[in-house]
Amino acid sequence: MFLAHIGGMDCIARGLRGAAKLVQEGLMQKVLDARYISWEEHPLAKKVAAGKARLEEVAEYAQQTKDPAMKSGKQEYLEQLLNRYI
């Protein structure tokens, strides 16, 4: 039982080292920044993120705006990127 706990802690340490390397290299953050760029560019999105937008404002914007173009969130790419480090 003691050896199993040591093996578990080794596994956790390896995952933590991989996660630290992922953060240090900044690749995941670059992908996430590109994915959510509209939250920094659009004034209404900034208000929503800050918790200052009213539901009426958001509803009015949604009614006046065309549906956004479908764009991949690259979920599989992000999963593989994470798996490469951990």
Side-chain angles (χ1 to χ4, degrees):
M1 183 95 148
F2 180 71
L3 293 177
H5 286 287
I6 291 173
M9 291 306 294
D10 284 347
C11 186
I12 289 172
R14 183 176 178 192
L16 183 58
R17 291 176 79 179
K21 185 177 179 183
L22 178 65
V23 170
Q24 288 171 347
E25 291 181 3
L27 185 57
M28 179 74 89
Q29 191 61 49
K30 289 178 189 174
V31 173
L32 292 175
D33 288 345
R35 183 176 182 172
Y36 297 108
I37 190 75
S38 66
W39 286 93
E40 297 295 325
E41 294 177 343
H42 197 280
L44 181 58
K46 287 181 182 179
K47 284 179 74 173
V48 170
K52 297 179 180 177
R54 294 187 345 259
L55 184 57
E56 293 81 14
E57 290 178 272
V58 176
E60 182 181 332
Y61 176 79
Q63 289 173 347
Q64 294 175 355
T65 307
K66 294 189 296 186
D67 288 340
M70 296 298 287
K71 185 176 175 184
S72 173
K74 300 185 180 181
Q75 179 71 29
E76 293 82 7
Y77 170 75
L78 293 172
E79 289 173 4
Q80 291 304 313
L81 178 65
L82 182 62
N83 287 337
R84 212 179 318 156
Y85 283 88
I86 293 183

